Amino acid sequence: MGKKCFMFAMVAVFILTGSVFAQDEKKDTTIPTMEEVVVTATKTEEKRKDIANSVIIMDSMDIDEAAAQSLGELMANEPGIDWRSQGNYGGATQEIHLRGMKGNGTQVFVNGVNYNSPSVGMADVSKIPLNNIDRIEVVKGSGSLLYGSGAIGGTISIETKRPERDQIDAIIRAGYGSENTYQVSAEHGMFAYEDFGYYLTANRTETDGFRDNSGLTHNDVSLKLVLEKGKALDISLYGDFIDREYGRPGVQPPKGTQDYFINGTQFISSEAASLLDEGTDEDSHIALEAKGSPLKWLAYNVKTNYTSMENYNYSRYSYNGSGNKSWTANDIFGTEGNVTVAPFSEAKVLMGVEYKEYDWKNKGVGLDDSGDEDNSTFVSNKADIDTTGVFTEVQYRPCTFFKLLAGIRYEDHSEFGSENLPRFGLIFNPLEDTAVKMTHGKHFLAPTPNDLFYPYEDWGWGMGAEGNPNLKPEIGWHSDITVEQALLDNKVFLTGAYFNWDMNDRILWADDGTGFWRPENLKSYEAQGFELGSSVGPYYNMTVNLNYTYLDAEEEGEEYSRVTPGDQKTWKKHRATYSPEHLFKGVLVYQTPFNMTASLTLRYVSERVWYRNESDDYVNYKTVVYELDA
């Protein structure tokens, strides 16, 4: 990724107002344990050793000790995660891919609100500020049973900070770095009156970027209100607003590229292929949740949320100066309710229903060679999509050594009809600190509005892009086997996992041999791989984390020829698009006697290859990542 590192001077200000302050009750180590509680995997509180999935759990202590500037960079060091940045500019989209699945196959939730954009299906995790996060749960493997379309690779669930009783949090941080980069953030939380409390965060980041037209201005604010009435009732209301303005410099021009002008306006420099392209994002989320356990054998959770996402893009083409302006708006409403019944101590039954409604709008207008609007090329599209899911899952532990899980979801999609999504799991605990986990489940991913209805674009010379309304959803199966072992009083934690994907109709955007891009259904996608991870420490105030992921993924798609376009297409198997075969991550953390943290991070990601590399008629697109961060 080759980016320079920023060194920020961080300032923390704690406001003392005469209240009684409690010490943070944090775990003594960042090493995982079998007793950690996970909610996302089953939508009920379960210990790590009692869930069938491979999971990653991070709390505020893990975040504070990590030398990370973004959520993606924080997660990049974990097994099975491929963190990708679409470009090296300030506003570049950052995605998280789980076990070879695309960005739209990983669902990201913040306080139960889905942060994936319906337009493109993926979540830009660069928008989520780290100082607002209290806990992260990553559940790997098919999550379609509980979370519906899109959770084929897994889910990332984030809980933001909430006030603590008898404690006031008031923190200000500021930093300045190269390229006129600065950050300012503030947090404040407390219980204002009896059972009512709030937590407020605000952030501003601004940078000129490392290249021409690569700057970013980011602002966000969030507020969480809570009403705690014991185990029987906990109500929270969360809202946030995110605003971003950024340049889009395009690819890095070849060395020696000269400045290029059209009608006196500069389009290209030695650092950027585009000096005029820019974009803005305005996202807002609001979520209301009520949960509790009024009886020992009964728990409930009811939530409703609304999301608004607006994106604006301004683009100019360097071949003749023309271009376009486009606006995309997504309005999403969702509601969900579930109950968990425990008829006896060895069994639980989860039952739930979920409804989502998407309102997608896209409009654009062409620009002439002077940059003025050309209304003759105006386009406007819209789509209304809704989904309904009904699900149930049964957990049963007949003895200390075994636990069984089985469930099914009925998913009804307004565009693609209904689908039944079963999942099965088995957990074997031969020892108290040992867990052998097996899952097998069906997954489902519907095409996005962009896949289906993306408006026709003409880039010149026969090149362009357009959606495909004839797409079919991706459907398949996922299986995995995970072994977890804690040793030496939780000073060592080892994990290993084998996983397998079998999918039909995988959706891929590709050109047809003439430079015209549209999404198509591939015939098949098959992949298998394994993960190995170890966490050791703390010893002598040091903690070491090492992990390795291997992925062997293959796609079968239609083959075109750029030399003789229009020839009959044939099916051919290729290495899966942009899927690295090897990922290695190593992290060394040292806690100084002065309560300061130093860390060293090493990440290696092998080639991400476009599948048409195997044809000599195509340009060789490759990305190799090798990073050493200190």
Side-chain angles (χ1 to χ4, degrees):
M1 298 176 183
K3 296 182 179 179
K4 300 178 183 177
C5 296
F6 293 141
M7 296 298 293
F8 290 103
M10 308 307 293
V11 180
V13 180
F14 296 86
I15 303 174
L16 307 182
T17 60
S19 300
V20 178
F21 284 76
Q23 294 293 325
D24 288 343
E25 296 183 359
K26 295 180 179 178
K27 59 182 181 181
D28 295 330
T29 173
T30 57
I31 301 299
T33 72
M34 289 294 188
E35 301 300 313
E36 291 178 296
V37 174
V38 184
V39 177
T40 311
T42 61
K43 295 201 173 183
T44 60
E45 291 189 356
E46 296 286 347
K47 294 180 180 179
R48 176 196 284 265
K49 65 181 181 182
D50 290 327
I51 62 172
N53 296 80
S54 176
V55 299
I56 299 168
I57 304 170
M58 306 183 76
D59 64 11
S60 54
M61 181 179 178
D62 299 309
I63 298 171
D64 291 341
E65 290 189 354
Q69 298 295 326
S70 68
L71 176 61
E73 189 176 354
L74 173 71
M75 302 303 298
N77 298 327
E78 300 299 325
I81 291 181
D82 182 16
W83 168 52
R84 306 187 189 183
S85 178
Q86 294 186 356
N88 60 344
Y89 58 96
T93 298
Q94 296 182 18
E95 307 170 19
I96 292 178
H97 296 219
L98 291 177
R99 292 179 169 177
M101 289 294 100
K102 298 175 293 183
N104 61 348
T106 302
Q107 297 297 289
V108 179
F109 298 90
V110 178
N111 296 321
V113 182
N114 194 324
Y115 268 49
N116 291 60
S117 166
S119 294
V120 294
M122 62 192 65
D124 182 359
V125 297
S126 69
K127 298 179 181 180
I128 303 175
L130 285 180
N131 72 316
N132 193 23
I133 299 175
D134 182 62
R135 181 178 173 85
I136 304 170
E137 294 181 4
V138 181
V139 179
K140 291 179 280 189
S142 177
S144 293
L145 167 65
L146 299 182
Y147 297 96
S149 172
I152 59 176
T155 58
I156 298 174
S157 181
I158 296 169
E159 287 294 322
T160 63
K161 294 178 179 177
R162 61 188 290 152
E164 299 288 341
R165 291 184 182 273
D166 302 321
Q167 177 175 316
I168 297 177
D169 293 302
I171 304 172
I172 297 176
R173 296 184 177 94
Y176 182 81
S178 60
E179 314 301 337
N180 290 323
T181 301
Y182 73 86
Q183 290 182 337
V184 179
S185 66
E187 307 170 38
H188 180 50
M190 61 182 291
F191 269 80
Y193 178 75
E194 294 185 351
D195 299 322
F196 173 76
Y198 66 87
Y199 206 98
L200 174 69
T201 69
N203 294 276
R204 178 177 174 86
T205 300
E206 189 167 340
T207 180
D208 290 343
F210 302 106
R211 301 192 286 140
D212 294 340
N213 193 35
S214 64
L216 166 70
T217 300
H218 170 105
N219 298 285
D220 70 74
V221 61
S222 74
L223 175 65
K224 178 182 277 190
L225 306 176
V226 300
L227 179 65
E228 294 182 354
K229 288 292 186 180
K231 291 185 178 180
L233 179 64
D234 183 294
I235 300 176
S236 64
L237 177 64
Y238 174 81
D240 65 27
F241 177 75
I242 303 167
D243 177 79
R244 292 161 66 88
E245 299 178 4
Y246 47 88
R248 294 187 290 110
V251 299
Q252 181 86 39
K255 186 176 180 179
T257 297
Q258 301 297 311
D259 294 345
Y260 176 72
F261 295 80
I262 297 178
N263 298 328
T265 301
Q266 186 175 357
F267 278 70
I268 298 175
S269 73
S270 60
E271 295 183 350
S274 175
L275 298 177
L276 302 180
D277 291 3
E278 60 185 13
T280 63
D281 294 321
E282 289 187 1
D283 297 352
S284 57
H285 310 83
I286 187 168
L288 176 63
E289 180 180 27
K291 61 183 180 180
S293 181
L295 301 172
K296 185 178 181 179
W297 53 270
L298 176 67
Y300 69 90
N301 186 299
V302 180
K303 64 182 70 172
T304 185
N305 58 79
Y306 172 77
T307 298
S308 174
M309 295 180 170
E310 296 185 4
N311 169 262
Y312 165 75
N313 274 302
Y314 178 90
S315 298
R316 297 284 296 277
Y317 307 137
S318 58
Y319 68 89
N320 66 356
S322 64
N324 67 79
K325 295 191 293 186
S326 64
W327 297 263
T328 302
N330 290 284
D331 293 300
I332 310 103
F333 170 79
T335 185
E336 179 188 347
N338 63 71
V339 295
T340 301
V341 179
F344 45 93
S345 59
E346 295 83 8
K348 285 184 180 180
V349 180
L350 170 71
M351 297 172 287
V353 61
E354 181 182 26
Y355 175 78
K356 293 181 181 179
E357 183 178 303
Y358 307 88
D359 181 12
W360 174 81
K361 297 177 182 177
N362 176 279
K363 63 179 181 179
V365 61
L367 305 174
D368 61 23
D369 57 7
S370 298
D372 296 328
E373 292 186 5
D374 178 5
N375 289 317
S376 63
T377 59
F378 181 85
V379 295
S380 179
N381 290 322
K382 65 179 182 178
D384 296 315
I385 299 172
D386 62 81
T387 64
T388 302
V390 180
F391 55 89
T392 185
E393 184 174 60
V394 178
Q395 306 177 41
Y396 177 58
R397 182 177 280 279
C399 64
T400 304
F401 303 110
F402 289 97
K403 184 175 182 180
L404 305 172
L405 298 93
I408 190 168
R409 181 188 185 98
Y410 173 80
E411 179 90 354
D412 184 58
H413 195 285
S414 60
E415 293 289 325
F416 300 102
S418 60
E419 193 72 35
N420 293 315
L421 304 168
R423 185 180 72 168
F424 310 95
L426 170 65
I427 304 165
F428 175 48
N429 302 115
L431 301 172
E432 183 177 354
D433 291 326
T434 304
V436 180
K437 310 175 179 185
M438 290 168 276
T439 63
H440 180 63
K442 191 175 183 180
H443 46 77
F444 172 78
L445 175 61
T448 67
N450 264 28
D451 293 333
L452 296 168
F453 311 119
Y454 191 84
Y456 174 84
E457 283 190 0
D458 184 359
W459 303 338
W461 297 304
M463 298 187 295
E466 188 178 25
N468 182 355
N470 299 315
L471 290 173
K472 295 180 289 185
E474 301 180 8
I475 298 176
W477 291 85
H478 172 268
S479 303
D480 63 27
I481 302 175
T482 302
V483 180
E484 296 178 337
Q485 177 69 60
L487 299 169
L488 303 177
D489 294 327
N490 289 320
K491 291 286 188 178
V492 176
F493 190 87
L494 305 175
T495 181
Y498 167 82
F499 54 87
N500 178 275
W501 302 99
D502 186 359
M503 181 184 300
N504 295 322
D505 298 318
R506 182 176 168 96
I507 298 170
L508 178 68
W509 280 77
D511 76 69
D512 62 0
T514 67
F516 196 88
W517 291 73
R518 62 169 54 87
E520 299 286 349
N521 285 115
L522 301 180
K523 188 175 183 180
S524 65
Y525 172 86
E526 296 178 352
Q528 59 182 346
F530 62 85
E531 303 165 356
L532 299 174
S534 63
S535 299
V536 181
Y539 288 102
Y540 304 101
N541 295 327
M542 290 190 296
T543 302
V544 179
N545 297 300
L546 298 172
N547 65 77
Y548 168 73
T549 302
Y550 171 78
L551 176 67
D552 179 15
E554 190 174 64
E555 297 170 338
E556 186 175 7
E558 292 180 305
E559 180 74 6
Y560 297 82
S561 170
R562 184 183 293 274
V563 176
T564 56
D567 286 356
Q568 184 177 357
K569 297 174 288 187
T570 58
W571 294 102
K572 185 176 181 180
K573 289 188 175 181
H574 308 264
R575 179 175 161 184
T577 309
Y578 302 128
S579 296
E581 190 174 10
H582 306 282
L583 296 94
F584 171 81
K585 297 91 174 277
V587 182
L588 172 65
V589 178
Y590 175 68
Q591 189 76 32
T592 70
F594 306 102
N595 203 29
M596 298 179 64
T597 301
S599 67
L600 176 68
T601 301
L602 172 68
R603 291 195 297 269
Y604 170 79
V605 181
S606 62
E607 294 178 337
R608 301 187 184 111
V609 182
W610 189 37
Y611 78 86
R612 297 202 185 280
N613 286 22
E614 299 179 10
S615 171
D616 294 335
D617 299 334
Y618 284 82
V619 179
N620 188 19
Y621 295 99
K622 295 185 178 180
T623 302
V624 181
V625 180
Y626 181 82
E627 282 196 356
L628 177 63
D629 295 335

